């Protein structure tokens, strides 16, 4: 039996097809409140798209702890093998708008929300272990180069390579982006990384630095340029089609969560900055330690509610997991939550996708769309400290151990040094094979082709510092394109 259609206020609706008019051919009456409500709501159906990561795909599932890491962290989710919690993930392109094609060459966002018994824990990363820059002061400038030019309203390779040439630490990430790994077949066939350096501490208060790795269990698969171009000509929604279709068919994608662990004293001995987001930790020195398995087994019943409204932020952490001196992470702790307040509203964490599965008690007050009422544990306790025993109080037992810091507060300029070229040099010369190197040369040359000669030369100087063969290979490929 069908249900009765109502207004948003619950009143029954008599007609849902035609406007109220003065006679069958007359003008529309202003008192047709149902018409006004439908039009007004439609005008407000779209919320601002994300500044980055606008185009995304998501799924719900379960995380299960498979290995004991309680020697590193007091987080209750990791206290016992077999512990589980619900999870919500969103994967995304970085630069493209909401209508961008899924199979474009781009970095992919990889975010997971763990609904733990101690609150929500978010890991907000990418499908690469590094990023283009190490200091968030340049993040707005970087993102502007990835978006549309203010005059042409087109993407600008000139701006991209000009910025990258001015920040040579970006060559590591650009190399990955232009390599065979630049276009994953779909979310199920790429790894994920927390990318940043985080911290964990155990019951003794001992801290270690950690990196989070999500190793996909389906195998790595990527598209070559021609394959991606042919696919985009047929569909712009290939990731959503693949992900949604696989889960509907019962083919549930899985990722194994691993961590790398570095002791505080070891961090002081590295010949690179372990808190620099443009650097990886060597696996031979800091091997992957398995932790648990993520299985995504449910497509959200409402995509907008659970995927578009999903708000991930590294500020969502739980006792036993903390931050590090990573400059990009420190800034993202603020900027991500603030972006959600702007895009979704003051009380964005009350939305179903973001609401924790545990009781919430805080002293935030009022604001638009506050439909929860008092949450402090006592109706009279709207401030703190107060006289009411039942009201929410801080728990010193979950305090983080002190973080050792040293040095004078200043804006330090990191001198360009060979450390920025060591890891991309190894990636280019030792990890990537001959055939992939040739494709890397051609892909990068194609991306550089619209650039001016000065920008080309600035970028060639960077490539030459990585490896002379890198510069020569891209120069040769670009010459072929120019003379074609």
């Amino acid at each position: 039996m069908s249900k009765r259609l109502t207004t948003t206020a619950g009143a029954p609706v008599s007609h849902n097809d035609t406007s109220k008019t003065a006679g069958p051919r007359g003008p529309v009456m202003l008192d047709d409140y149902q018409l006004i409500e439908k039009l007004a709501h439609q005008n407000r159906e779209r919320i601002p798209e994300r500044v980055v990561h606008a185009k995304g795909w998501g799924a719900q599932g379960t995380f299960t702890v498979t290995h004991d890491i309680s020697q590193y962290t007091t987080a209750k989710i990791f206290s016992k093998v077999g512990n589980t919690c619900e999870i919500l993930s969103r994967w995304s392109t970085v630069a493209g708008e909401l209508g961008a094609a899924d199979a474009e060459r781009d970095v992919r966002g990889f975010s997971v929300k763990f609904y733990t018994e101690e609150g929500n824990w978010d890991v907000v990363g990418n499908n690469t272990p590094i990023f283009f820059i190490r200091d968030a002061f340049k993040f707005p400038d970087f993102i502007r180069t990835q978006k549309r030019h203010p005059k042409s309203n087109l993407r600008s390779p000139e701006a991209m390579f000009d910025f990258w040439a001015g920040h040579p630490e970006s060559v590591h990430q650009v190399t990955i982006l232009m390599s065979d790994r630049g276009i994953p077949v779909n979310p199920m066939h790429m790894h994920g990384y927390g990318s940043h350096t985080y911290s964990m501490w155990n019951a003794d208060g001992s801290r270690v630095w950690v990196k989070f790795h999500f190793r996909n269990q389906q195998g790595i698969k990527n598209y070559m340029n021609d394959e991606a171009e042919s696919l985009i000509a047929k569909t712009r929604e290939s990731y959503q089609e693949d992900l949604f279709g696989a889960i509907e068919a019962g083919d549930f994608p899985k990722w194994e969560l691993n961590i790398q662990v570095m002791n505080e004293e070891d961090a002081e001995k590295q010949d690179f900055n372990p808190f620099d987001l443009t650097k990886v930790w060597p696996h031979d020195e800091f091997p992957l330690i398995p932790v648990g398995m993520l299985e995504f087994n449910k497509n959200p019943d409402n995509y907008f509610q659970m995927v578009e409204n999903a708000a991930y932020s590294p500020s969502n952490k739980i006792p036993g997991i903390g931050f590090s001196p990573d400059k990009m992470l420190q800034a993202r702790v603020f900027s991500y939550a603030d972006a959600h307040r702007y895009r979704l509203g003051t009380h964005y964490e009350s939305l179903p996708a973001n609401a924790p599965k545990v009781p919430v008690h805080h002293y935030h007050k009022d604001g638009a769309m506050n439909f929860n009422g008092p949450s402090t544990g006592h109706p009279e306790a709207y401030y703190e400290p107060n006289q009411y025993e039942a009201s929410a109080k801080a728990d010193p037992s979950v305090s983080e151990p002190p973080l050792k810091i040293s040095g004078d507060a200043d804006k330090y300029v990191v001198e360009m040094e060979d450390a920025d070229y060591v890891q991309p040099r190894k990636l280019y010369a030792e990890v990537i094979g001959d055939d992939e190197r040739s494709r890397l040369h051609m892909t990068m040359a194609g991306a550089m082709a619209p650039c001016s000669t000065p920008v080309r030369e600035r970028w060639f100087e960077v490539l030459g510092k990585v490896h002379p063969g890198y510069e020569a290979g891209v120069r040769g490929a670009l010459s072929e394109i120019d003379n074609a």
Side-chain angles (χ1 to χ4, degrees):
M1 183 177 178
S2 62
K3 295 183 171 58
R4 186 165 65 170
L5 183 66
T6 72
T7 66
T8 54
V13 172
S14 60
H15 293 84
N16 195 37
D17 296 310
T18 58
S19 303
K20 184 179 180 181
T21 59
R25 298 187 179 184
V28 172
M29 307 299 290
L30 184 60
D31 68 351
D32 189 346
Y33 68 95
Q34 294 171 21
L35 169 66
I36 300 303
E37 172 65 23
K38 290 182 74 171
L39 296 176
H41 186 85
Q42 183 187 37
N43 287 343
R44 294 160 177 81
E45 281 182 353
R46 298 294 178 267
I47 60 176
E49 71 173 38
R50 290 167 170 86
V51 177
V52 288
H53 300 279
K55 181 71 177 292
W57 326 276
Q60 296 167 274
T62 304
F63 171 65
T64 303
V65 176
T66 57
H67 293 75
D68 182 10
I69 61 166
S70 58
Q71 71 268 36
Y72 300 122
T73 179
T74 61
K76 289 184 179 178
I77 183 64
F78 301 123
S79 64
K80 185 176 65 175
V81 171
N83 281 356
T84 66
C85 71
E86 296 178 38
I87 52 176
L88 172 68
S89 215
R90 185 179 186 270
W91 305 276
S92 56
T93 50
V94 173
E97 301 96 345
L98 273 172
D102 292 353
E104 292 180 354
R105 183 173 294 274
D106 198 354
V107 176
R108 266 65 179 173
F110 195 112
S111 299
V112 185
K113 189 180 293 290
F114 296 80
Y115 300 96
T116 83
E117 63 181 292
E118 296 179 289
N120 291 351
W121 170 45
D122 291 353
V123 180
V124 189
N126 288 319
N127 72 322
T128 59
I130 56 171
F131 195 59
F132 297 91
I133 53 176
R134 55 173 153 250
D135 193 319
F137 208 86
K138 299 307 297 179
F139 186 71
D141 299 279
F142 165 64
I143 291 301
R144 288 176 188 130
T145 71
Q146 304 300 297
K147 296 295 185 178
R148 295 179 181 273
H149 191 284
K151 182 176 181 179
S152 68
N153 198 39
L154 297 170
R155 301 283 293 280
S156 174
E158 177 89 353
M160 295 180 197
F161 281 96
D162 189 32
F163 180 89
W164 291 334
H167 287 274
E169 73 267 25
S170 68
V171 70
H172 197 179
Q173 175 76 303
V174 176
T175 300
I176 294 176
L177 176 62
M178 299 294 173
S179 75
D180 287 356
R181 288 192 273 171
I183 314 177
V185 166
N186 53 39
M188 297 92 78
H189 291 95
M190 65 185 190
H191 294 323
Y193 303 87
S195 301
H196 296 287
T197 299
Y198 291 86
S199 63
M200 286 182 169
W201 61 91
N202 62 19
D204 296 329
S206 298
R207 185 197 306 277
V208 293
W209 306 117
V210 297
K211 293 272 195 181
F212 296 110
H213 296 249
F214 299 91
R215 310 290 289 182
N216 93 74
Q217 304 298 291
Q218 293 72 238
I220 296 293
K221 294 182 182 179
N222 302 292
Y223 284 127
M224 299 298 102
N225 284 338
D226 56 344
E227 295 173 316
E229 290 168 3
S230 297
L231 179 63
I232 291 171
K234 299 174 183 176
T235 176
R236 301 177 69 80
E237 315 297 336
S238 56
Y239 278 32
Q240 180 69 10
E241 292 164 356
D242 289 355
L243 177 66
F244 184 88
I247 294 176
E248 287 295 289
D251 186 10
F252 303 140
K254 295 180 180 179
W255 282 260
E256 183 182 63
L257 173 61
N258 289 257
I259 58 173
Q260 286 179 288
V261 176
M262 182 186 295
N263 295 325
E264 286 186 294
E265 53 272 21
D266 288 336
E268 302 293 330
K269 303 173 184 175
Q270 302 305 311
D271 57 2
F272 66 94
N273 180 359
F275 310 113
D276 184 338
L277 185 55
T278 67
K279 307 293 186 291
V280 297
W281 293 1
H283 284 213
D284 55 352
E285 188 174 353
F286 306 101
L288 294 181
I289 300 171
V291 177
M293 192 67 69
L294 297 84
E295 179 184 86
F296 293 93
N297 49 31
K298 184 180 188 304
N299 284 314
D301 293 328
N302 186 307
Y303 174 90
F304 177 81
Q305 182 186 56
M306 297 304 293
V307 181
E308 282 309 291
N309 277 348
Y312 298 89
S313 173
S315 59
N316 287 337
K317 67 185 188 73
I318 55 177
I321 300 175
F323 308 130
S324 79
D326 182 333
K327 294 179 182 179
M328 285 291 292
L329 174 60
Q330 298 265 323
R332 291 176 82 204
V333 167
F334 160 75
S335 65
Y336 272 58
D338 189 59
H340 303 322
R341 293 184 194 100
Y342 168 73
R343 192 176 71 91
L344 298 173
T346 305
H347 299 281
Y348 69 93
E349 288 195 304
S350 295
L351 295 170
N354 307 315
K357 308 296 183 183
V358 296
V360 173
H361 300 295
H362 56 72
Y363 288 88
H364 293 177
K365 187 173 180 288
D366 300 344
M369 304 298 286
N370 182 6
F371 50 83
N372 287 321
S375 59
T376 64
H378 192 287
E380 295 295 327
Y382 58 93
Y383 57 91
E384 208 275 334
N386 58 63
Q387 63 181 307
Y388 307 106
E389 286 296 324
S391 65
K393 304 286 191 235
D395 180 3
S397 70
V398 299
S399 296
E400 182 172 346
L403 176 67
K404 298 175 184 177
I405 57 176
S406 63
D408 300 326
D410 199 356
K411 286 182 174 287
Y412 289 95
V413 176
V414 178
E415 298 296 333
M416 298 308 172
E417 51 188 341
D418 193 56
D420 286 331
Y421 306 106
V422 170
Q423 292 189 357
R425 185 178 301 132
K426 183 174 183 178
L427 174 63
Y428 177 82
E430 300 178 27
V431 178
I432 295 176
D434 290 342
D435 289 344
E436 185 174 356
R437 266 195 296 272
S438 296
R439 291 191 292 270
L440 168 62
H441 296 158
M442 187 57 66
T443 297
M444 187 171 289
M448 292 175 64
C451 295
S452 65
T453 298
V455 167
R456 289 182 178 186
E457 291 303 319
R458 291 183 72 208
W459 186 243
F460 281 138
E461 183 179 352
V462 173
L463 297 184
K465 290 179 179 178
V466 175
H467 193 282
Y470 200 172
E471 177 187 357
V474 178
R475 275 191 184 275
L478 188 53
S479 179
E480 289 182 28
I481 293 173
D482 288 341
N483 296 325

